Amino acid sequence: MNDEISRRLREAAAAHEPNRARILARVERGAADPGVRHRTPSIARSWPRAAIVGLVATATLATGGLAVAAAIGGAPLLPATAPAPTTPSPTVTSPTVTSPTVTPSPAPSSGTTTTTGPAPVPTPAPTWGSAHPTPADDSRVEDGPLRSEGSLDPHSTIYWAQSNLTLETTKPLTSVTVELRIAQTGDVRSTGNWQTLPSDDFTVTVEESGGALLYRWVLEPGRTVPAGRHEFAGQYNHATGVRDLERDSYRVDAHGSGGSFAVWGGFAPAR
């Protein structure tokens, strides 16, 4: 059976004669007729007609060769396939990133003049009172057995002060009233008081009176101030700074066996 098929194929291949003229005529008619749709890519339509004719002839010969090869039972020889053109990969060049150049601000030249405020004036060290308070024309620091002296305590500061009165008597006193008057020079407020005599012997009051802070000690009835040296003190806060003592004053009224006596005056700055 196989031998019969092979024989017939060989006879058909030997009897086959391709009609080259008819094939060329069909190709020319197809190329000339714009209404005929072709499956060939658009690039084939742009080829010259001679190139198309050449391709058809080549195809005819190749078809005939394949038919003969099949008739004789040999494997068809496929035309060598040309290697596909290699498209070189594009070379990608990484962009060079340039860091921005930072130019430092120029330093001021040595000739630059800087404007400053006036030079600070050194503050002199505070002194407690500018001078010894000038007592009034009628001031009196001695009378009979009494001797008196007013002064600012050396522990006073620019915020706080203590005014001291020293009273000496050579005779016992049966009636005594002591007053310290501290002028209101700014934020003057009492912080306390004391005396060297027993506290039960006196009634002590502190009040604002006539623009001053008034400290008053009154000897209780039946009590006696013995001869000797005694002290009375008033303590107070005041506005920051060196306080003026000019308007501060004291007065003492006393009575003893020799009669009534009185002394008054101001306060000397601390020594």
Side-chain angles (χ1 to χ4, degrees), residues 166-225:
T166 301
L167 177 66
E168 294 184 13
T169 178
T170 59
K171 294 182 179 181
L173 304 173
T174 57
S175 174
V176 176
T177 299
V178 177
E179 291 184 349
L180 304 186
R181 184 176 293 272
I182 308 301
Q184 182 57 261
T185 55
D187 296 333
V188 175
R189 298 289 184 273
S190 175
T191 60
N193 60 83
W194 57 268
Q195 72 282 333
T196 56
L197 291 166
S199 59
D200 292 342
D201 288 355
F202 289 88
T203 298
V204 184
T205 59
V206 182
E207 62 180 350
E208 291 273 356
S209 175
L213 188 63
L214 179 62
Y215 296 84
R216 180 183 290 116
W217 290 261
V218 178
L219 183 65
E220 294 285 348
R223 307 295 175 90
T224 300
V225 173

Side-chain angles (χ1 to χ4, degrees), residues 35-163:
V36 179
R37 298 179 59 89
H38 299 279
R39 289 189 176 183
T40 55
S42 60
I43 189 171
R45 291 196 298 268
S46 64
W47 288 3
R49 182 176 300 178
I52 297 175
V53 173
L55 287 176
V56 172
T58 302
T60 303
L61 295 176
T63 303
L66 289 174
V68 172
I72 63 177
L77 297 177
L78 297 177
T81 304
T86 303
T87 303
S89 301
T91 302
V92 180
T93 304
S94 299
T96 302
V97 179
T98 304
S99 300
T101 303
V102 179
T103 304
S105 300
S109 62
S110 57
T112 301
T113 302
T114 302
T115 304
T116 59
V121 178
T123 302
T127 56
W128 297 115
S130 58
H132 192 290
T134 302
D137 295 340
D138 60 350
S139 66
R140 184 170 64 190
V141 296
E142 297 183 11
D143 184 24
L146 301 180
R147 302 290 184 274
S148 63
E149 180 183 7
S151 64
L152 188 67
D153 192 90
H155 297 97
S156 300
T157 69
I158 60 174
Y159 310 104
W160 174 90
Q162 176 177 297
S163 295

Side-chain angles (χ1 to χ4, degrees), residues 25-36:
R26 288 182 179 180
V27 171
E28 289 178 356
R29 285 196 305 271
D33 187 2
V36 179

